[in-house]
Amino acid sequence: MHIKDTALGALAELGYPQQKIKTAQARQLSATLYRQLADHQIESVLHLCEQLLEERDWMLSLIAYDWAFRVKKQYTLSTFDIFECWLLHYVTDWYDCDDFCTHAFGELIVQYPQLIDKTHHWATHSNFAVRRAVAVILIYPLNKGKSPLNAPLNAANLLFNDQHDLVQKGYGWLLKVLSKSSPDVVINYLKTHHKHMPRVAFRYALEKLDKQTKAQLMSL
């Protein structure tokens, strides 16, 4: 049976697509299906992931990105080319951007931080979800303490004038995560750029700061 049919059959048992399935349920199902795969070598698994992504179904994409994360110990520098191809061809909205970039793609950046520079050209892509990925892909490394300090600010600068609100929220989210470990860096950035920074990005960025600092920044 084709992997797509196997996955859809398992999802159907949960009532999909007529009923909404929680992400936690889908991840549990994904883990079960992954264990049933005959071959867990990265080449084989990513090939199956591609088959699932080609269906352009959110639940199948979630499974694909989860399986890609499960073979993280086998990542190499060349994995970037595969993941970038997926980003450019299959990611269409904020939810699949975030799922992919805060797990599998983010883990790849943790292992090979020199790849960060290769993400910068996404900032001019026509698809807002690809542009959002410039920021979101750094959130996982930041949370792991594996992101170069200048990388989040570089991403914010690249996306600073983006007109799409979900891109603005994306780099605002990145700055918010950065503020947990480097609050002074974010505070200085916001003080320097508050006059021209989109307000939605500004508000996202200061969410984790203390009340007094937030009040001071909001009054600028």
Side-chain angles (χ1 to χ4, degrees):
M1 182 180 289
H2 193 284
I3 189 62
K4 174 203 70 172
D5 298 326
T6 301
L8 284 175
L11 287 167
E13 293 180 5
L14 297 176
Y16 183 80
Q18 289 78 16
Q19 298 180 27
K20 185 176 180 180
I21 297 176
K22 294 181 179 179
T23 301
Q25 287 179 288
R27 294 200 187 284
Q28 185 176 17
L29 174 61
S30 178
T32 299
L33 293 173
Y34 181 79
R35 287 193 294 269
Q36 295 173 0
L37 297 179
D39 185 354
H40 288 150
Q41 291 299 305
I42 189 169
E43 294 82 2
S44 176
V45 172
L46 295 188
H47 177 68
L48 294 176
C49 292
E50 183 99 27
Q51 292 180 18
L52 295 175
L53 291 169
E54 286 174 351
E55 298 300 317
R56 299 185 182 277
D57 176 274
W58 163 233
M59 282 294 137
L60 295 182
S61 296
L62 186 150
I63 293 171
Y65 297 137
D66 181 60
W67 287 2
F69 185 61
R70 290 177 184 275
V71 293
K72 60 187 178 182
K73 291 183 179 179
Q74 301 178 59
Y75 290 172
T76 65
L77 280 169
S78 63
T79 305
F80 181 89
D81 296 330
I82 298 171
F83 282 3
E84 182 178 48
C85 182
W86 290 1
L87 176 69
L88 300 180
H89 289 89
Y90 300 119
V91 171
T92 60
D93 213 333
W94 66 267
Y95 47 82
D96 43 355
C97 169
D98 293 3
D99 187 33
F100 185 29
C101 290
T102 61
H103 291 85
F105 216 160
E107 170 62 28
L108 181 65
I109 297 300
V110 165
Q111 295 184 27
Y112 302 102
Q114 65 268 39
L115 292 171
I116 292 173
D117 288 349
K118 296 183 70 172
T119 71
H120 290 172
H121 72 98
W122 301 343
T124 58
H125 198 274
S126 59
N127 180 355
F128 84 88
V130 174
R131 302 197 304 274
R132 178 181 170 97
V134 175
V136 176
I137 201 170
L138 296 174
I139 288 173
Y140 183 90
L142 258 183
N143 283 328
K144 294 290 184 179
K146 299 291 186 179
S147 172
L149 184 59
N150 64 330
L153 297 187
N154 287 342
N157 289 337
L158 286 167
L159 301 174
F160 192 85
N161 293 313
D162 198 290
Q163 296 301 301
H164 201 291
D165 66 319
L166 290 174
V167 177
Q168 296 169 9
K169 290 178 180 178
Y171 79 80
W173 178 20
L174 174 63
L175 292 173
K176 175 172 66 176
V177 175
L178 177 62
S179 75
K180 292 189 291 184
S181 59
S182 303
D184 290 343
V185 171
V186 174
I187 291 168
N188 289 336
Y189 187 86
L190 297 179
K191 285 182 176 179
T192 300
H193 298 288
H194 74 276
K195 289 184 178 179
H196 305 290
M197 190 173 183
R199 210 60 181 171
V200 65
F202 188 84
R203 289 196 301 267
Y204 263 63
L206 55 75
E207 279 184 0
K208 293 296 183 180
L209 297 173
D210 64 83
K211 290 183 179 181
Q212 182 178 355
T213 302
K214 282 197 288 187
Q216 290 174 346
L217 289 170
M218 288 298 291
S219 67
L220 293 175

